[in-house]
Amino acid sequence: MLILDSIAEALATQGWSVVKSFVPPDLLRELGDEALALLRTGTLRQAGIGTGQRARVDPEVRGDRTLWLDPSTATRAQRDCLDALEALQHTLNRELQLGLFDFEGHFAAYPTGSFYRRHRDQQVGASARVLSCVLYLNHAWRAEDGGQLRLYLEPSGAEIYRDVLPEGGTLVCFLSERFWHEVLPATRLRLSLTGWFRQRAVV
């Protein structure tokens, strides 16, 4: 597919990619409705930072609520989305030899005014996460709504960045180890399906 090839080409040349209309409109609407329903029923939980004994909730760093996807209990819409991501995985492994093994992901909801401070997705002491992916589930998002993903383009985290508006259907991919990024506050609820392609753990 041309869209998958374009993602692979962008990752090969600059380490990040932004494409629109990654999934069909009907699937996008179903995923957004599911995320909203899970938020309203309290199924999405306040996300934390850190791992193991250092794990904690800190709304001054991160304000989203999440629910991890479980392929064994996935809805049809979730399964269709995971299938689309699996097709991307196969393309990237074929074209870029990234050795991507599986995908872990969750729904994420950022209430009005919440944010996620600058960070990288590859956890300290772990190298399994290779590629970060964010699929936005928002309807009719406007520039004045805010909520941009700010992707810092220099590995040092220098103030050279690209802001991506969280428009529904937009998929952002970037190398997890390389890019610092943050989520800016929005003036309305912001929904996404966020995850990571991983390599096999080295033992």
Side-chain angles (χ1 to χ4, degrees):
M1 295 176 60
L2 291 178
I3 193 169
L4 302 183
D5 291 336
S6 71
I7 294 172
E9 182 177 358
L11 290 174
T13 56
Q14 61 191 17
W16 57 276
S17 165
V18 178
V19 296
K20 296 186 176 183
S21 303
F22 180 71
V23 296
D26 288 349
L27 176 55
L28 180 66
R29 183 166 49 252
E30 289 183 55
L31 291 168
D33 289 346
E34 288 185 11
L36 187 58
L38 291 167
L39 177 65
R40 287 173 172 169
T41 59
T43 307
L44 298 185
R45 298 297 185 182
Q46 186 71 43
I49 58 175
T51 59
Q53 295 182 341
R54 295 186 176 183
R56 69 186 193 279
V57 171
D58 187 346
E60 294 301 314
V61 174
R62 179 179 185 179
D64 57 324
R65 297 178 178 272
T66 64
L67 176 70
W68 290 94
L69 301 180
D70 182 349
S72 68
T73 59
T75 65
R76 183 189 60 80
Q78 293 170 26
R79 183 70 262 167
D80 287 349
C81 183
L82 291 172
D83 287 346
L85 290 167
E86 185 177 6
L88 175 59
Q89 175 185 331
H90 292 324
T91 297
L92 298 180
N93 281 341
R94 183 186 69 244
E95 298 298 325
L96 305 180
Q97 290 79 51
L98 290 180
L100 306 178
F101 173 63
D102 66 0
F103 178 83
E104 60 174 0
H106 56 62
F107 282 123
Y110 284 82
T112 300
S114 60
F115 50 82
Y116 195 161
R117 300 292 187 195
R118 189 188 307 202
H119 65 285
R120 283 189 299 185
D121 284 342
Q122 194 171 96
Q123 299 162 336
V124 176
S127 59
R129 289 180 175 177
V130 175
L131 189 71
S132 302
C133 301
V134 186
L135 175 65
Y136 295 112
L137 309 178
N138 307 297
H139 175 67
W141 199 272
R142 304 166 301 173
E144 54 265 37
D145 294 328
Q148 294 91 339
L149 172 70
R150 177 159 291 177
L151 187 66
Y152 293 90
L153 303 181
E154 294 294 326
S156 64
E159 297 296 323
I160 302 173
Y161 57 81
R162 162 78 182 271
D163 282 349
V164 181
L165 203 64
E167 298 173 298
T170 296
L171 177 71
V172 183
C173 300
F174 55 91
L175 297 175
S176 303
E177 181 181 24
R178 178 174 171 185
F179 291 99
W180 292 85
H181 57 287
E182 64 180 309
V183 176
L184 304 182
T187 60
R188 53 180 280 203
L189 177 68
R190 178 187 186 277
L191 301 173
S192 66
L193 192 157
T194 299
W196 301 268
F197 285 114
R198 304 186 302 175
Q199 294 176 336
R200 290 182 185 272
V202 178
V203 295

